[in-house]
Amino acid sequence: MAKSVTLSTGRTFPTVTAAKEHFAEILNGQELKQAFSGNEFADIQATYVAYCAKTDWPLPSAPASFYPVHDRGPGYTTRCFGVTFEDGTTGNFSMDKALRAIAA
């Protein structure tokens, strides 16, 4: 049986694939480094906070904004979600990994 994803915002997805498709549209529909707002921000934040809780990842402070960024490394560039925390620190994360981690 497929795993589903339920967010604290009340949004649910019948499968992880459906959730990935939803967030890919959001990520690819926004200009780089332009912050998400409204329901998009709320759903991204709910996913991120649940992911950090599930994996025991410590948050430096509460997330203040999320936005599309390019993550670069040797031989790759990928578009992913960036996060800025209330204390001014920044990071990024893989929505795919987050959704797989929180699926039930």
Side-chain angles (χ1 to χ4, degrees), residues 15-51:
T15 64
V16 173
T17 300
K20 286 180 183 181
E21 290 170 355
H22 171 76
F23 285 106
E25 285 181 26
I26 291 172
L27 180 64
N28 294 322
Q30 186 86 333
E31 294 293 322
L32 288 174
K33 298 190 179 183
Q34 296 299 308
F36 295 103
S37 61
N39 291 337
E40 291 175 345
F41 172 82
D43 288 344
I44 297 164
Q45 182 178 36
T47 304
Y48 184 73
V49 169
Y51 172 53

Side-chain angles (χ1 to χ4, degrees), residues 19-94:
K20 286 180 183 181
E21 290 170 355
H22 171 76
F23 285 106
E25 285 181 26
I26 291 172
L27 180 64
N28 294 322
Q30 186 86 333
E31 294 293 322
L32 288 174
K33 298 190 179 183
Q34 296 299 308
F36 295 103
S37 61
N39 291 337
E40 291 175 345
F41 172 82
D43 288 344
I44 297 164
Q45 182 178 36
T47 304
Y48 184 73
V49 169
Y51 172 53
C52 291
K54 182 81 170 185
T55 60
D56 294 324
W57 188 265
L59 293 173
S61 64
S65 66
F66 295 95
Y67 42 86
V69 295
H70 277 141
D71 184 22
R72 293 180 172 87
Y76 76 91
T77 298
T78 188
R79 191 173 175 110
C80 64
F81 287 88
V83 56
T84 297
F85 299 95
E86 288 181 355
D87 69 0
T89 60
T90 61
N92 58 41
F93 73 102
S94 166

